[in-house]
Amino acid sequence: DVKVTQSSRYLVKRTGEKVFLECVQDMDHENMFWYRQDPGLGLRLIYFSYDVKMKEKGDIPEGYSVSREKKERFSLILESASTNQTSMYLCAIPGTFGSGTRLTVV
Amino acid sequence: SQQGEEDPQALSIQEGENATMNCSYKTSINNLQWYRQNSGRGLVHLILIRSNEREKHSGRLRVTLDTSKKSSSLLITASRAADTASYFCATVPFAGGTSYGKLTFGQGTILTVHP
């Protein structure tokens, strides 16, 4: 079975903290994605990566950055967490999603 | 940007009935995919239909695609309580080079199947 693993199921962080969300895949796929999901807004693409060290902005990149130093790992970084970044974050490779990280910023 | 619109937003049926969900999109696509999400979990891929296909089946699922109307439907036959979930359509845009498999999602349909 293809696995996309997100390191945390639930996270609570304080406003202004730097937050790292980690995602690991075991399919050796070039493409990895970060989405956020909010009620009434559906899933929106934040960033994606098409190779190691290569990244492109999605539809809502503001307030986020990403890192892909190794092919299997794609990290989403909230440089200075804000309450409007409270959301469900989903990592994916084509056709397979992780279980999601529910982040609450207080 | 959200390009998919799903209809209805919520659907409530009895076990054994069929459930039909519709999805519309705005731009040319390479393929359209349907996903299921159980109560705040990750998304599970159900089926992919390419832009040159009109209909596809997988078990109790039937998907149609009408590219002239930019719409798709997902039919679940003989529904079960375990089918209760949110269902999303997602499109991969047609791109001259490559789209990398980026997905643009609809808002989703919440399906409740009563035992």
Side-chain angles (χ1 to χ4, degrees), chain B residues 50-66:
Chain B
R50 300 187 194 284
S51 59
N52 61 353
E53 297 175 309
R54 291 296 165 258
E55 188 170 313
K56 207 159 180 183
H57 295 82
S58 176
R60 293 184 296 112
L61 306 180
R62 174 178 167 251
V63 169
T64 62
L65 179 65
D66 186 336

Side-chain angles (χ1 to χ4, degrees), chain B residues 65-79:
Chain B
L65 179 65
D66 186 336
T67 51
S68 67
K69 294 181 180 178
K70 292 187 167 59
S71 67
S72 173
S73 67
L74 170 68
L75 168 68
I76 304 174
T77 60
S79 63

Side-chain angles (χ1 to χ4, degrees), chain A residues 31 33 37 40 43 59 88, chain B residues 1-2 37 40 100 103 107:
Chain A
N31 303 341
F33 307 88
Q37 183 178 21
L43 283 91
D59 298 319
M88 169 75 105
Chain B
S1 58
Q2 292 292 313
Q37 184 180 36
Y100 301 108
L103 295 171
Q107 302 280 353

Side-chain angles (χ1 to χ4, degrees), chain A residues 9 31 33 35 37 40-45 48 50 59 88 90 95 97-99, chain B residues 1-2 33 35 37 40-43 45 88 99-107:
Chain A
R9 185 92 177 87
N31 303 341
F33 307 88
Y35 296 87
Q37 183 178 21
L41 296 175
L43 283 91
R44 295 175 290 169
L45 180 65
F48 70 99
Y50 52 92
D59 298 319
M88 169 75 105
L90 292 151
F97 279 75
S99 297
Chain B
S1 58
Q2 292 292 313
Q33 303 173 32
Y35 287 83
Q37 184 180 36
R41 304 289 299 191
L43 276 71
H45 184 265
F88 294 89
S99 66
Y100 301 108
K102 291 184 292 182
L103 295 171
T104 299
F105 282 86
Q107 302 280 353

